[in-house]
Amino acid sequence: MSLRPAKSHPPFRSRVRASLTIIIGVCFMVFAAAGYWAALLDSHKYLRHYTQEQAWLRVTQMSHAISAQVGAMLSGLDYSMRDMVNDYESGDAIAFKRAVASVRKSYPAGTIVQVSVADVRGQVVYSSLDTPAQPKQAVSIFDREHFQVHLNRSMQGTFIGHPVQGRVSRQWSIQLSRALIHKGKFSGVLVLSLSPEYLSRQLQTIFDSQRDVIVLLREDGAYLARSQQQDGVLGGKVPKERVALFAPGVSGGTYEVQAGSDGIQRMYAWTRVSGFPVLVSTGLDRQAVYAPLSETIRQSLWRNGVGTLLILLGGLLIAWLSFLRRREEEQRMQTEQRLMHLSQEVPGGLFQYGLDAEGHYVLPFTNPGFYAMHGIDTPGVQDTLSRFAQCIDKQDLPKLKESIVQAVQSESDWAHKYRVNGPDGTQRWLQGHARPQQAQDGSVLWHGYILDVTQDEILRAALRQSEERLRLTIGAVRDGLWQWDCTRDLVLWDARCYAMLGLADQALGTFPSADFFRRLHPADQSRVKSLLEQHLNHGEPFRVEMRMLQADGSWRWVESRGEVTQRDGEGQALRMMGMHSDIHERVEQTHMVGALLERGSAMVLVASYCRDIVYANARAAEFFGILAGPQPRQSSFRELHLSEDHFKRFAALYQRLKLQKTVRAEWALRGAGGRICWFDVQGTLLDPEDPNGNVIWTLFDVDARHRAESELQQVQQRMEAIIEHFPSGILVTDGAGHCIVAANEMLVAMFELPLAVSELVGKSVELLQPHLSAPVAQVLLSSSTQAAVAADVLSVLEPSRAIHALPNGRHIEIEQLPLHKQEHLLGICWVFHDVTDYKQRETHLETLASTDALTGASNRRAFTSRMESELEHLRLGHGHTLALIMLDIDHFKHVNDSYGHAAGDEVLKHLVAAVSKELRKGDMQGRLGGEEFVVLLADVDEHTAFRRAENLREAVGRLAVAAPGHDPIRFTVSLGLCLIGQGDFSVQCCLERADAAMYYSKRNGRNRTTIWTPDTPAVLEP
């Protein structure tokens, strides 16, 4: 079958197509960069949003927690003020002063500035600051807000006033006041002055940063206390637009504003203190919240911007180089056209070949030298190809035809070497080269020449023999040899070079250097070219590590070393030779362990049996400071050893050579300048039959490996020390999550394992299962399964963290840290933190926020929250009838006055303990304040609720509280019972009903239980 070459486009169309390709490629790069930056900016936007959400969550939770603490403190002060009011109204001055002293003693020094009493005219008649040595000063608080509000009867209970500078104490204080009623009439005000400085110090302990702030405000926006810069805000208010945020009926909220006192932009969350007209506002420094993220985003934008710019510049550079190459190709074609006219004047074998209209091969042009080289007379046109084929050696003819067919089909350059047989029986080697060129009619002609390379082949055969002998001396190196004919730009590899890349021997034949560079990784091409040019032009050493394309399309690391072996009179390189070393395994291993192990080039020394050096190759000569090649004078190996004893011990290798023919050892030798270097020394007898003959010593520089192994050992020792001394338990497994790689003593002690650390390493994770609690064992085994699945689907195992309780009461936080190398899972590291103290503090804080500090009963806030939940269940039809009991100790003031407040506290504790014993599961007890307590009974009817209330009353009546120096204290309680059904939705309403029933019991003899009915009189405020 005839083959016809594919038609090419005219030059103009080719240029247009090349230009369009370059423009499209540049546009694609720009669009790709734009898409990447859009995705990058979107990810930054998401990170900012997530950081903001976490900051708002943190500041809100902190505001709620502080609000609960402030509410508990104010409730305690309110209770104490009620006791002091009762004592003062009773006229018992001793009891009143004892109560004042008890209150001041109950709080840290400086917390309460003073306790004072003003009469109906506003004159201060008592102050805890008065001393017998100082006369009382006439001080009036008639104009003060906290006096006027009680005088005008506009406030019932405790009033919290603006911070003022006391006229007696001369200190800033927060005024907590209650009205004094005598015989139903207003008789004065009891004032408790609370120190804002104490509150500020307490608030400062909550935040570590000086730029974060906690503010205590009245509902009208007046400052009560501030954790930072308090002196600048006391007596002032927040702006009106801020006060508008604290709308009535709203329990909390958030806002962001720049503080006027210090100019810091903060994120605030405010919470209303339950039961009091006070707000808690906590603020986080916005700059501190966003600073780490902003810095990360700034660095990301900088790195990505530089990377994008470099990629775009690289694309433009490639486009420019493509344009230059195209223009050079056109200039070359024009030059070839001009040279065609001179072909008749050039001696040698010149020719043209192509296809005729019928697809047959033709030789449109040949010069006389073409026939002379093939040893045939000038034939006729018809039998040129047949006579030509007859003179070709039969072994070379098939490959010659194949090369021509391939060149025609691909319209590529043709180059081939073959043998011809002359009429006299002589044989000559010819080498042909031809390049295709498109004619005006669209057909393709190959223009070429034939050279007689017989002498080159003879020299090449001699060179191969010489190379074979050289390979015997460096066979252990397993390196590939290459040579480059710089004048003709032809590269030749040996079989080892091809084997490194998975190619068949001589698969490429001789090829131009451009083909060599195309087989390099794009990232390595410019570096290799630069080093090669420096070596060619300036004689700099040529040694480079690069990636080369393998037959299967993957990349392999190869180290290439070479030097110019021949130059012309002007110093231009004519021939260069070198070696390729397969360093792929070493580089891969280097990536795995993070250390760099350099493998040096081979050095060859030939020594006599007397250990005199008779030959050294160039690399050995350079290192040891001796001449390259045969030595004009014999140099002893003694000069290379470290000492005389070192030299004598080397003689043992010669004894082993006699027996084994070869020997190998690692030995330290001294180089030029006194440098000591370790070598992998391989010795081989030059003549295996002559044990006393010369020895070829091949030296491999392993000094870097020695240093790397030493450093790696030190790194491993440091890592083992870090793991062993880490303050938490450490467990490291392999990538599959099955085998234990490392552990420490803290892990063994934490879980009380009956195994030593050395017994765990190398064992399966399942070995730990019998010794761990079920949740912890489940975490380890499930993580192993996830690791195996992640490895199968090439996904990334995410870090995780969870807290688990151990049977011995401790809490362990288990942190799973996958160890990834890119997408490859190297292993899993578990860190076990003992967080028992943290959990205990957390539980303690929760208890403090929801219970009464004295009795342990639920406080008003916790009890109210439970009632709201139960009422919601009733509203939805999910609950049953409830009963609310309010009880109050009869004549409790008498107990305090007669036995002291300490005894009164013991009475309260015994009361709570007795009531708790009578409660069932689902019931709840709480303290509203003072001697008032409430009990919530679940799932009861009226009869059952009354019977259980009577049981409580009788249980309290049986109590006897020990009082040192007195008879046991016995006391009774009055109870009010209120049934709660589906129609009751207000907690306050239910409390008022139970309170009304309880006061009815008080007014009708005490020590009794009253069930609330619509006819029960309501409690009237005095």
Side-chain angles (χ1 to χ4, degrees), residues 368-382:
F370 178 83
Y371 299 103
M373 286 187 177
H374 290 87
I376 58 176
D377 299 331
T378 303
V381 177
Q382 299 297 328

Side-chain angles (χ1 to χ4, degrees), residues 19-217:
S19 300
L20 288 176
T21 302
I22 293 173
I23 293 173
I24 293 173
V26 171
C27 292
F28 175 81
M29 289 180 61
V30 173
F31 289 143
Y36 172 80
W37 273 89
L40 179 65
L41 295 177
D42 185 68
S43 67
H44 291 172
K45 181 179 179 182
Y46 169 77
L47 288 176
R48 290 191 180 94
H49 178 70
Y50 178 79
T51 301
Q52 181 178 356
E53 287 184 343
Q54 292 300 310
W56 282 122
L57 177 61
R58 176 189 171 196
V59 71
T60 301
Q61 291 176 343
M62 184 66 71
S63 176
H64 286 308
I66 298 173
S67 172
Q69 294 180 1
V70 172
M73 181 192 70
L74 293 178
S75 296
L77 292 174
D78 179 55
Y79 169 71
S80 299
M81 292 182 67
R82 290 173 60 182
D83 280 349
M84 289 188 289
V85 167
N86 292 335
D87 289 337
Y88 189 88
E89 289 175 349
S90 67
D92 190 344
I94 296 176
F96 172 73
K97 291 182 179 179
R98 186 166 55 240
V100 171
S102 176
V103 171
R104 293 176 65 88
K105 188 177 182 181
S106 299
Y107 294 90
T111 303
I112 299 177
V113 178
Q114 73 167 337
V115 177
S116 59
V117 176
D119 59 16
V120 69
R121 293 172 302 169
Q123 293 294 324
V124 176
V125 297
Y126 171 81
S127 172
S128 61
L129 298 178
D130 291 340
T131 60
Q134 295 179 353
K136 294 184 179 180
Q137 300 180 12
V139 178
S140 173
I141 62 170
F142 185 82
D143 59 332
R144 295 290 196 184
E145 176 191 22
H146 54 275
F147 181 87
Q148 290 293 324
V149 72
H150 294 294
L151 179 65
N152 298 329
R153 297 293 185 97
S154 59
M155 175 64 190
Q156 300 294 333
T158 299
F159 173 75
I160 300 176
H162 291 81
V164 298
Q165 191 171 24
R167 292 170 177 169
V168 175
S169 65
R170 301 303 179 182
Q171 301 178 27
W172 280 101
S173 60
I174 302 172
Q175 309 303 318
L176 278 67
S177 61
R178 290 186 68 92
L180 299 174
I181 307 297
H182 182 67
K183 296 181 180 182
K185 295 182 179 180
F186 175 74
S187 63
V189 174
L190 173 70
V191 181
L192 188 150
S193 301
L194 184 63
S195 171
E197 185 62 25
Y198 164 77
L199 296 178
S200 177
R201 290 196 301 270
Q202 296 299 313
L203 297 177
Q204 288 173 9
T205 62
I206 298 177
F207 278 137
D208 295 331
S209 175
Q210 296 295 322
R211 296 175 65 87
D212 298 331
V213 70
I214 303 175
V215 182
L216 196 62
L217 304 171

Side-chain angles (χ1 to χ4, degrees), residues 614-655:
V614 298
Y615 175 83
N617 70 350
R619 302 193 183 283
E622 180 183 0
F623 181 80
F624 293 111
I626 59 179
L627 297 177
Q631 301 299 300
R633 65 176 183 85
Q634 294 183 345
S635 301
S636 175
F637 242 118
R638 180 180 285 102
E639 301 173 2
L640 309 184
H641 286 271
L642 309 184
S643 64
E644 184 65 24
D645 179 66
H646 195 255
F647 173 69
K648 290 178 179 179
R649 285 190 285 112
F650 192 72
L653 300 183
Y654 276 84
Q655 298 300 324

Side-chain angles (χ1 to χ4, degrees), residues 346-360:
V346 177
L350 301 179
F351 65 92
Q352 289 181 333
Y353 76 88
L355 297 175
D356 60 12
E358 298 179 356
H360 299 118

